[in-house]
Coordinates of all heavy atoms in Angstrom, one line a residue:
H1 N 112.6 104.2 112.3 CA 112.0 104.5 113.6 C 113.1 104.8 114.6 O 112.9 105.6 115.5 CB 111.2 103.3 114.1 CG 109.9 103.2 113.3 ND1 109.7 102.3 112.3 CD2 108.8 104.0 113.4 CE1 108.5 102.5 111.8 NE2 107.9 103.5 112.4
K2 N 114.3 104.2 114.5 CA 115.4 104.6 115.4 C 115.8 106.1 115.2 O 116.1 106.8 116.1 CB 116.6 103.7 115.1 CG 116.5 102.3 115.6 CD 117.7 101.5 115.3 CE 117.6 100.1 115.7 NZ 118.8 99.3 115.5
Y3 N 115.7 106.5 113.9 CA 115.9 108.0 113.6 C 114.9 108.8 114.4 O 115.3 109.8 115.0 CB 115.9 108.2 112.1 CG 115.8 109.7 111.8 CD1 117.0 110.5 111.9 CD2 114.6 110.3 111.3 CE1 116.9 111.8 111.5 CE2 114.6 111.6 111.0 CZ 115.7 112.4 111.1 OH 115.7 113.7 110.8
H4 N 113.7 108.4 114.3 CA 112.6 109.2 115.0 C 112.9 109.2 116.5 O 112.8 110.2 117.2 CB 111.2 108.5 114.8 CG 110.8 108.6 113.4 ND1 109.7 107.8 112.9 CD2 111.3 109.2 112.3 CE1 109.6 108.0 111.6 NE2 110.5 108.9 111.2
R5 N 113.2 108.0 117.1 CA 113.4 107.9 118.5 C 114.6 108.8 118.9 O 114.5 109.5 119.9 CB 113.7 106.4 118.9 CG 114.0 106.2 120.4 CD 114.8 105.0 120.6 NE 116.1 105.0 119.9 CZ 116.8 103.9 119.6 NH1 116.3 102.7 119.8 NH2 117.9 104.0 119.0
D6 N 115.7 108.6 118.2 CA 116.9 109.4 118.5 C 116.7 110.9 118.3 O 117.2 111.7 119.1 CB 118.1 108.9 117.7 CG 118.5 107.5 118.0 OD1 118.0 106.9 119.1 OD2 119.2 106.8 117.3
G7 N 116.0 111.2 117.3 CA 115.7 112.7 117.0 C 114.9 113.3 118.1 O 115.2 114.4 118.6
I8 N 113.8 112.6 118.5 CA 112.9 113.2 119.5 C 113.7 113.2 120.9 O 113.6 114.2 121.6 CB 111.7 112.3 119.6 CG1 110.8 112.5 118.4 CG2 110.9 112.7 120.9 CD1 109.7 111.6 118.2
A9 N 114.5 112.2 121.2 CA 115.3 112.2 122.4 C 116.2 113.3 122.4 O 116.4 114.0 123.4 CB 116.0 110.8 122.5
G10 N 116.9 113.6 121.2 CA 117.8 114.7 121.1 C 117.2 116.0 121.4 O 117.8 116.9 122.1
V11 N 116.0 116.2 120.8 CA 115.3 117.5 121.0 C 115.0 117.7 122.4 O 115.1 118.7 123.0 CB 114.1 117.6 120.0 CG1 113.2 118.7 120.4 CG2 114.5 117.7 118.6
L12 N 114.4 116.6 123.0 CA 114.1 116.7 124.5 C 115.3 117.0 125.3 O 115.2 117.8 126.3 CB 113.4 115.4 124.9 CG 112.0 115.2 124.3 CD1 111.5 113.8 124.7 CD2 111.0 116.3 124.7
K13 N 116.4 116.4 125.0 CA 117.6 116.6 125.8 C 118.1 118.0 125.7 O 118.5 118.6 126.7 CB 118.7 115.6 125.4 CG 118.5 114.2 125.8 CD 119.6 113.3 125.3 CE 119.3 111.8 125.7 NZ 120.3 110.9 125.1
T14 N 117.9 118.7 124.6 CA 118.3 120.1 124.4 C 117.4 121.0 125.3 O 117.8 122.1 125.6 CB 118.3 120.6 123.0 OG1 116.9 120.6 122.5 CG2 119.2 119.8 122.1
L15 N 116.3 120.5 125.6 CA 115.3 121.2 126.5 C 115.5 120.9 128.0 O 114.8 121.4 128.8 CB 113.9 121.0 126.0 CG 113.6 121.4 124.6 CD1 112.2 120.9 124.2 CD2 113.7 122.9 124.5
G16 N 116.5 120.0 128.3 CA 116.7 119.6 129.6 C 115.8 118.5 130.1 O 115.7 118.3 131.3
V17 N 115.1 117.8 129.2 CA 114.2 116.7 129.6 C 114.9 115.4 129.3 O 115.6 115.2 128.3 CB 112.9 116.8 128.7 CG1 112.0 115.6 129.0 CG2 112.2 118.1 128.9
T18 N 114.8 114.5 130.3 CA 115.3 113.1 130.1 C 114.3 112.3 129.5 O 113.2 112.0 130.1 CB 115.8 112.6 131.5 OG1 116.8 113.4 132.0 CG2 116.4 111.2 131.3
P19 N 114.5 111.8 128.3 CA 113.5 110.9 127.6 C 113.3 109.6 128.4 O 114.2 109.1 129.0 CB 114.0 110.7 126.2 CG 115.1 111.6 126.1 CD 115.6 112.0 127.4
A20 N 112.1 109.1 128.3 CA 111.8 107.7 128.9 C 112.6 106.7 128.1 O 112.7 106.8 126.9 CB 110.4 107.4 128.9
G21 N 113.0 105.7 128.8 CA 113.7 104.6 128.1 C 112.7 103.6 127.5 O 111.5 103.7 127.7
P22 N 113.2 102.5 127.0 CA 112.3 101.5 126.4 C 111.6 100.7 127.5 O 112.1 100.7 128.7 CB 113.3 100.6 125.6 CG 114.6 100.8 126.2 CD 114.6 102.2 126.7
A23 N 110.5 100.1 127.2 CA 109.8 99.3 128.1 C 110.6 98.0 128.4 O 111.5 97.6 127.6 CB 108.4 98.9 127.6
A24 N 110.4 97.4 129.5 CA 111.1 96.2 129.9 C 110.7 95.0 128.9 O 111.6 94.2 128.6 CB 110.9 95.8 131.3
A25 N 109.5 95.0 128.4 CA 109.0 94.0 127.5 C 107.9 94.6 126.7 O 107.2 95.5 127.1 CB 108.6 92.8 128.3
Y26 N 107.6 94.0 125.6 CA 106.5 94.4 124.7 C 105.7 93.1 124.4 O 106.3 92.1 124.1 CB 107.0 95.0 123.4 CG 107.8 96.3 123.6 CD1 109.2 96.3 123.8 CD2 107.2 97.5 123.7 CE1 109.9 97.4 124.0 CE2 107.9 98.7 124.0 CZ 109.2 98.6 124.1 OH 109.9 99.8 124.3
H27 N 104.4 93.3 124.4 CA 103.5 92.1 124.1 C 102.6 92.5 122.9 O 101.8 93.4 123.0 CB 102.7 91.8 125.4 CG 103.5 91.5 126.6 ND1 104.2 90.3 126.7 CD2 103.9 92.3 127.6 CE1 104.9 90.4 127.8 NE2 104.7 91.6 128.4
F28 N 102.8 91.8 121.9 CA 102.0 92.1 120.6 C 101.0 91.1 120.3 O 100.4 91.1 119.2 CB 103.0 92.2 119.5 CG 104.0 93.3 119.6 CD1 105.4 92.9 119.8 CD2 103.7 94.6 119.7 CE1 106.3 93.9 120.0 CE2 104.6 95.6 119.8 CZ 105.9 95.3 120.0
G29 N 100.7 90.2 121.2 CA 99.7 89.1 121.0 C 100.3 88.0 120.1 O 101.5 87.9 119.9
T30 N 99.4 87.2 119.6 CA 99.9 86.1 118.8 C 100.0 86.5 117.3 O 99.0 87.0 116.7 CB 98.9 84.9 118.9 OG1 98.7 84.6 120.3 CG2 99.3 83.7 118.1
L31 N 101.2 86.3 116.8 CA 101.5 86.7 115.4 C 101.8 85.4 114.7 O 102.9 84.9 114.9 CB 102.6 87.7 115.3 CG 102.4 89.0 116.1 CD1 103.6 89.9 116.1 CD2 101.2 89.8 115.5
K32 N 100.9 84.9 113.9 CA 101.1 83.6 113.2 C 101.3 83.8 111.7 O 102.0 82.9 111.1 CB 99.9 82.7 113.4 CG 99.8 82.3 114.9 CD 98.6 81.3 115.0 CE 98.5 80.8 116.5 NZ 97.4 79.9 116.6
T33 N 100.8 84.8 111.1 CA 100.9 85.0 109.7 C 101.5 86.3 109.3 O 101.6 87.2 110.1 CB 99.5 84.8 109.0 OG1 98.8 86.0 109.4 CG2 98.8 83.6 109.4
A34 N 101.9 86.4 108.0 CA 102.4 87.7 107.5 C 101.3 88.8 107.7 O 101.6 89.9 108.0 CB 102.8 87.6 106.1
D35 N 100.0 88.4 107.4 CA 98.9 89.4 107.6 C 98.8 89.8 109.1 O 98.5 91.0 109.3 CB 97.6 88.8 107.1 CG 97.4 88.8 105.6 OD1 98.2 89.5 105.0 OD2 96.6 88.1 105.1
D36 N 99.0 88.9 110.0 CA 99.0 89.3 111.4 C 100.0 90.4 111.7 O 99.8 91.4 112.4 CB 99.3 88.2 112.4 CG 98.2 87.1 112.4 OD1 97.1 87.4 111.9 OD2 98.5 86.0 112.8
I37 N 101.2 90.2 111.1 CA 102.3 91.2 111.3 C 102.0 92.5 110.6 O 102.2 93.6 111.2 CB 103.7 90.6 110.9 CG1 104.0 89.4 111.7 CG2 104.8 91.6 110.8 CD1 105.1 88.5 111.2
L38 N 101.5 92.4 109.4 CA 101.2 93.7 108.7 C 100.1 94.4 109.4 O 100.2 95.7 109.5 CB 100.8 93.3 107.2 CG 101.9 92.8 106.3 CD1 101.3 92.3 105.0 CD2 102.9 94.0 106.1
N39 N 99.1 93.7 109.9 CA 98.0 94.4 110.6 C 98.5 95.1 111.9 O 98.0 96.2 112.2 CB 96.8 93.5 110.8 CG 96.0 93.3 109.5 OD1 95.5 94.3 109.0 ND2 95.9 92.1 109.0
L40 N 99.3 94.4 112.6 CA 99.9 95.0 113.8 C 100.7 96.2 113.4 O 100.6 97.3 114.1 CB 100.8 94.0 114.5 CG 101.7 94.5 115.6 CD1 100.8 95.1 116.8 CD2 102.7 93.5 116.1
A41 N 101.6 96.1 112.4 CA 102.4 97.3 112.0 C 101.5 98.4 111.6 O 101.7 99.6 112.0 CB 103.3 96.9 110.9
L42 N 100.4 98.1 110.9 CA 99.5 99.2 110.5 C 98.8 99.9 111.7 O 98.8 101.1 111.8 CB 98.4 98.6 109.6 CG 97.3 99.6 109.2 CD1 97.8 100.8 108.4 CD2 96.2 98.9 108.3
R43 N 98.4 99.1 112.7 CA 97.8 99.7 113.9 C 98.8 100.5 114.6 O 98.5 101.6 115.1 CB 97.3 98.6 114.8 CG 96.0 97.9 114.3 CD 95.3 97.1 115.4 NE 96.2 96.1 116.1 CZ 96.5 94.9 115.6 NH1 96.0 94.5 114.5 NH2 97.3 94.1 116.3
L44 N 100.0 100.1 114.7 CA 101.1 100.9 115.4 C 101.4 102.2 114.6 O 101.5 103.2 115.3 CB 102.4 100.0 115.6 CG 102.2 98.8 116.5 CD1 103.5 98.0 116.4 CD2 101.9 99.3 117.9
E45 N 101.5 102.1 113.3 CA 101.7 103.3 112.5 C 100.6 104.3 112.6 O 100.8 105.5 112.8 CB 102.0 103.0 111.1 CG 103.2 102.1 110.8 CD 104.6 102.9 111.1 OE1 104.6 104.1 111.4 OE2 105.6 102.2 111.1
Q46 N 99.4 103.8 112.5 CA 98.2 104.7 112.7 C 98.1 105.3 114.0 O 97.8 106.5 114.2 CB 96.9 103.9 112.4 CG 96.8 103.6 110.9 CD 95.5 102.7 110.7 OE1 95.2 101.8 111.4 NE2 94.9 102.9 109.5
G47 N 98.4 104.5 115.1 CA 98.5 105.1 116.4 C 99.5 106.1 116.6 O 99.3 107.2 117.3
A48 N 100.7 105.9 116.0 CA 101.8 106.9 116.1 C 101.3 108.2 115.4 O 101.5 109.3 116.0 CB 103.1 106.4 115.5
A49 N 100.8 108.1 114.2 CA 100.4 109.3 113.5 C 99.3 110.1 114.2 O 99.3 111.3 114.3 CB 99.9 108.9 112.1
T50 N 98.4 109.3 114.8 CA 97.3 110.0 115.6 C 97.9 110.6 116.8 O 97.4 111.8 117.2 CB 96.2 108.9 116.0 OG1 95.7 108.4 114.8 CG2 95.1 109.5 116.9
A51 N 98.8 110.0 117.5 CA 99.4 110.6 118.7 C 100.1 111.9 118.3 O 99.9 112.9 119.0 CB 100.4 109.6 119.3
Y52 N 100.9 111.9 117.3 CA 101.6 113.2 116.9 C 100.6 114.3 116.5 O 100.7 115.4 116.9 CB 102.5 112.9 115.7 CG 103.8 112.3 116.2 CD1 104.1 110.9 115.9 CD2 104.8 113.0 116.9 CE1 105.2 110.3 116.3 CE2 106.0 112.4 117.3 CZ 106.2 111.1 117.0 OH 107.3 110.5 117.4
R53 N 99.5 113.9 115.8 CA 98.5 114.9 115.3 C 97.8 115.4 116.5 O 97.6 116.6 116.7 CB 97.6 114.2 114.4 CG 96.5 115.2 113.8 CD 95.5 114.6 112.9 NE 94.7 113.7 113.6 CZ 94.5 112.4 113.4 NH1 95.2 111.8 112.5 NH2 93.7 111.7 114.1
T54 N 97.4 114.6 117.5 CA 96.7 115.0 118.6 C 97.5 115.9 119.6 O 96.9 116.9 120.1 CB 96.2 113.7 119.4 OG1 95.4 112.9 118.5 CG2 95.4 114.1 120.6
L55 N 98.7 115.6 119.7 CA 99.6 116.3 120.7 C 100.1 117.6 120.1 O 100.6 118.5 120.8 CB 100.7 115.5 121.2 CG 100.3 114.3 122.0 CD1 101.5 113.4 122.3 CD2 99.7 114.7 123.3
A56 N 100.0 117.8 118.8 CA 100.6 118.9 118.1 C 100.1 120.3 118.7 O 100.8 121.2 118.8 CB 100.4 118.9 116.6
S57 N 98.8 120.3 119.0 CA 98.2 121.6 119.4 C 98.7 122.0 120.8 O 98.6 123.1 121.2 CB 96.7 121.5 119.4 OG 96.3 120.5 120.3
S58 N 99.3 121.0 121.6 CA 99.8 121.4 122.9 C 101.3 121.6 123.0 O 101.8 122.0 124.0 CB 99.4 120.2 123.9 OG 100.1 119.1 123.5
V59 N 102.0 121.5 121.8 CA 103.4 121.8 121.8 C 103.6 123.2 121.4 O 103.1 123.7 120.4 CB 104.1 120.8 120.7 CG1 105.5 121.2 120.6 CG2 103.9 119.4 121.2
H60 N 104.4 123.9 122.2 CA 104.6 125.3 122.0 C 106.1 125.6 121.6 O 106.4 126.8 121.3 CB 104.3 126.1 123.3 CG 102.8 125.9 123.6 ND1 101.8 126.4 122.9 CD2 102.3 125.3 124.7 CE1 100.6 126.1 123.5 NE2 100.9 125.4 124.6
N61 N 106.9 124.6 121.5 CA 108.3 124.8 121.2 C 108.4 124.5 119.7 O 108.1 123.4 119.2 CB 109.2 123.9 122.0 CG 110.6 124.0 121.7 OD1 111.1 123.6 120.6 ND2 111.4 124.6 122.6
K62 N 108.9 125.5 118.9 CA 109.0 125.3 117.4 C 109.9 124.1 117.0 O 109.7 123.4 116.1 CB 109.5 126.6 116.8 CG 108.4 127.6 116.7 CD 108.8 128.9 116.0 CE 107.7 129.9 116.0 NZ 108.1 131.1 115.2
T63 N 111.0 123.9 117.7 CA 111.9 122.8 117.4 C 111.3 121.5 117.6 O 111.3 120.6 116.7 CB 113.2 122.9 118.3 OG1 113.8 124.2 118.1 CG2 114.2 121.8 117.9
V64 N 110.6 121.3 118.7 CA 109.9 120.1 119.0 C 108.8 119.9 118.0 O 108.6 118.8 117.4 CB 109.3 120.1 120.5 CG1 108.5 118.9 120.7 CG2 110.4 120.2 121.5
L65 N 108.0 120.9 117.7 CA 106.9 120.8 116.8 C 107.4 120.5 115.4 O 106.8 119.7 114.7 CB 106.1 122.1 116.8 CG 104.8 122.1 116.0 CD1 103.8 121.0 116.5 CD2 104.1 123.4 116.1
G66 N 108.5 121.1 115.0 CA 109.0 120.9 113.7 C 109.4 119.4 113.5 O 109.1 118.8 112.5
F67 N 110.2 118.9 114.5 CA 110.6 117.5 114.4 C 109.4 116.6 114.4 O 109.3 115.6 113.7 CB 111.7 117.2 115.4 CG 112.3 115.9 115.2 CD1 113.4 115.8 114.3 CD2 111.9 114.7 115.7 CE1 114.0 114.6 114.0 CE2 112.5 113.5 115.4 CZ 113.5 113.4 114.6
A68 N 108.5 116.8 115.3 CA 107.3 116.0 115.5 C 106.5 115.9 114.2 O 106.0 114.9 113.8 CB 106.5 116.4 116.6
A69 N 106.4 117.1 113.5 CA 105.6 117.1 112.3 C 106.3 116.3 111.2 O 105.7 115.6 110.4 CB 105.5 118.6 111.8
H70 N 107.6 116.4 111.2 CA 108.4 115.5 110.2 C 108.1 114.1 110.5 O 107.9 113.3 109.6 CB 109.9 115.9 110.4 CG 110.8 115.0 109.6 ND1 111.0 115.0 108.3 CD2 111.6 114.0 110.1 CE1 111.8 114.1 107.9 NE2 112.2 113.4 109.0
V71 N 108.2 113.7 111.7 CA 108.0 112.2 112.1 C 106.5 111.8 111.8 O 106.3 110.8 111.2 CB 108.3 112.0 113.6 CG1 107.9 110.6 114.0 CG2 109.7 112.2 113.9
M72 N 105.6 112.7 112.1 CA 104.2 112.4 111.8 C 104.0 112.1 110.3 O 103.3 111.1 109.9 CB 103.2 113.5 112.2 CG 101.8 113.2 112.0 SD 100.6 114.5 112.3 CE 101.0 115.5 110.9
V73 N 104.6 112.9 109.4 CA 104.5 112.6 108.0 C 105.0 111.3 107.6 O 104.4 110.5 106.8 CB 105.2 113.8 107.2 CG1 105.3 113.4 105.7 CG2 104.5 115.1 107.4
D74 N 106.2 110.9 108.2 CA 106.7 109.5 108.0 C 105.7 108.5 108.4 O 105.5 107.5 107.7 CB 108.0 109.4 108.7 CG 109.2 110.0 108.0 OD1 109.0 110.5 106.8 OD2 110.3 110.1 108.6
E75 N 105.1 108.7 109.6 CA 104.2 107.6 110.1 C 103.0 107.5 109.2 O 102.5 106.4 108.9 CB 103.7 108.0 111.5 CG 104.8 108.2 112.5 CD 105.7 106.9 112.8 OE1 105.5 105.9 112.1 OE2 106.6 107.0 113.6
V76 N 102.5 108.6 108.6 CA 101.4 108.5 107.7 C 101.8 107.8 106.4 O 101.0 107.0 105.9 CB 100.8 110.0 107.4 CG1 99.9 109.9 106.2 CG2 100.2 110.6 108.6
R77 N 103.0 108.1 106.0 CA 103.5 107.3 104.8 C 103.6 105.8 105.0 O 103.2 105.0 104.2 CB 104.9 107.9 104.4 CG 104.9 109.2 103.8 CD 106.3 109.6 103.4 NE 106.3 111.0 102.9 CZ 107.3 111.8 103.1 NH1 108.4 111.5 103.8 NH2 107.2 113.0 102.6
H78 N 104.1 105.5 106.2 CA 104.2 104.1 106.5 C 102.8 103.4 106.6 O 102.6 102.3 106.0 CB 104.9 103.9 107.9 CG 106.3 104.4 108.0 ND1 106.9 104.7 109.2 CD2 107.2 104.7 107.1 CE1 108.1 105.2 109.0 NE2 108.3 105.2 107.7
A79 N 101.9 104.1 107.2 CA 100.5 103.6 107.3 C 99.9 103.4 105.9 O 99.2 102.4 105.6 CB 99.7 104.5 108.2
T80 N 100.2 104.4 105.0 CA 99.7 104.3 103.7 C 100.2 103.0 102.9 O 99.4 102.3 102.3 CB 100.0 105.6 102.9 OG1 99.5 106.7 103.5 CG2 99.5 105.5 101.4
V81 N 101.4 102.8 103.0 CA 102.0 101.6 102.4 C 101.4 100.3 103.0 O 101.1 99.4 102.3 CB 103.6 101.6 102.5 CG1 104.2 100.3 102.1 CG2 104.1 102.8 101.7
L82 N 101.3 100.3 104.3 CA 100.8 99.1 105.0 C 99.3 98.9 104.7 O 98.9 97.7 104.5 CB 101.0 99.2 106.5 CG 102.5 99.0 106.9 CD1 102.7 99.5 108.3 CD2 102.9 97.6 106.8
R83 N 98.6 100.0 104.6 CA 97.1 99.8 104.2 C 97.0 99.2 102.8 O 96.2 98.3 102.6 CB 96.4 101.2 104.2 CG 96.1 101.7 105.6 CD 95.4 103.0 105.6 NE 94.0 102.9 105.1 CZ 93.0 102.4 105.9 NH1 93.3 102.0 107.1 NH2 91.8 102.3 105.4
D84 N 97.9 99.6 101.9 CA 97.9 99.0 100.6 C 98.3 97.5 100.7 O 97.7 96.6 100.0 CB 98.8 99.7 99.7 CG 98.7 99.3 98.2 OD1 97.6 99.3 97.7 OD2 99.8 98.9 97.7
A85 N 99.2 97.2 101.5 CA 99.7 95.8 101.6 C 98.6 94.9 102.2 O 98.6 93.7 101.9 CB 100.9 95.7 102.6
V86 N 97.7 95.4 103.0 CA 96.7 94.5 103.6 C 95.3 94.8 102.8 O 94.3 94.4 103.3 CB 96.5 94.7 105.1 CG1 97.7 94.3 105.8 CG2 96.1 96.1 105.5
N87 N 95.4 95.4 101.7 CA 94.3 95.6 100.8 C 93.2 96.4 101.4 O 92.0 96.1 101.3 CB 93.7 94.3 100.3 CG 94.7 93.6 99.4 OD1 95.3 94.2 98.5 ND2 94.9 92.3 99.7
R88 N 93.6 97.5 102.1 CA 92.6 98.5 102.7 C 92.7 99.7 101.9 O 93.8 100.1 101.5 CB 92.8 98.7 104.1 CG 92.6 97.5 105.0 CD 92.6 97.9 106.4 NE 92.7 96.8 107.3 CZ 92.9 96.8 108.6 NH1 93.1 98.0 109.2 NH2 92.9 95.7 109.3
R89 N 91.6 100.4 101.8 CA 91.6 101.7 101.0 C 92.4 102.8 101.8 O 92.4 102.8 103.0 CB 90.2 102.2 100.8 CG 89.4 101.4 99.8 CD 88.2 102.1 99.4 NE 87.1 101.6 100.2 CZ 85.8 102.0 100.1 NH1 85.5 102.9 99.3 NH2 84.9 101.5 100.9
N90 N 93.0 103.6 101.0 CA 93.8 104.7 101.6 C 93.1 106.1 101.5 O 93.7 107.1 101.5 CB 95.2 104.8 100.8 CG 96.2 103.9 101.4 OD1 96.4 103.9 102.6 ND2 96.7 103.0 100.6
Y91 N 91.8 106.0 101.4 CA 91.0 107.3 101.4 C 89.7 107.1 102.2 O 89.4 106.0 102.6 CB 90.7 107.7 100.0 CG 90.1 106.6 99.1 CD1 88.7 106.5 99.1 CD2 90.8 105.8 98.4 CE1 88.1 105.5 98.3 CE2 90.2 104.8 97.6 CZ 88.9 104.7 97.6 OH 88.3 103.7 96.8

């Protein structure tokens, strides 16, 4: 994920855009079990993949679109592994 963050930030910087920094704090709710953590990770990965897919049609820069497509594929792969880990179907 650091690679994704740094790559997207780098692409934006080449376009003269200053990327947003990290949030001051993150709140993930109560995580008591491994399943809680896996389900949170799955929701985050699915959300990331959906965000990249949804925004792709509004991106007109080939460099940005190419990197975003690469990241989206990774997010889908991550979600696939996590779905298997929490015994959910991948189809």
Side-chain angles (χ1 to χ4, degrees):
H1 289 102
K2 288 180 182 182
Y3 168 75
H4 297 166
R5 178 203 63 205
D6 294 345
I8 292 168
V11 169
L12 292 174
K13 286 177 185 176
T14 65
L15 299 171
V17 176
T18 302
Y26 298 93
H27 304 284
F28 299 113
T30 302
L31 302 172
K32 293 183 179 183
T33 67
D35 281 344
D36 292 343
I37 294 167
L38 289 170
N39 281 300
L40 170 64
L42 176 58
R43 286 192 310 274
L44 294 172
E45 296 291 352
Q46 288 175 321
T50 299
Y52 283 106
R53 184 182 69 240
T54 301
L55 294 173
S57 64
S58 64
V59 175
H60 301 291
N61 180 291
K62 287 184 180 182
T63 303
V64 174
L65 187 59
F67 192 83
H70 171 75
V71 173
M72 183 187 71
V73 169
D74 282 348
E75 302 300 0
V76 170
R77 286 180 186 148
H78 299 159
T80 299
V81 170
L82 289 164
R83 286 181 70 78
D84 187 56
V86 297
N87 297 314
R88 293 191 193 170
R89 289 194 264 182
N90 275 305
Y91 52 90

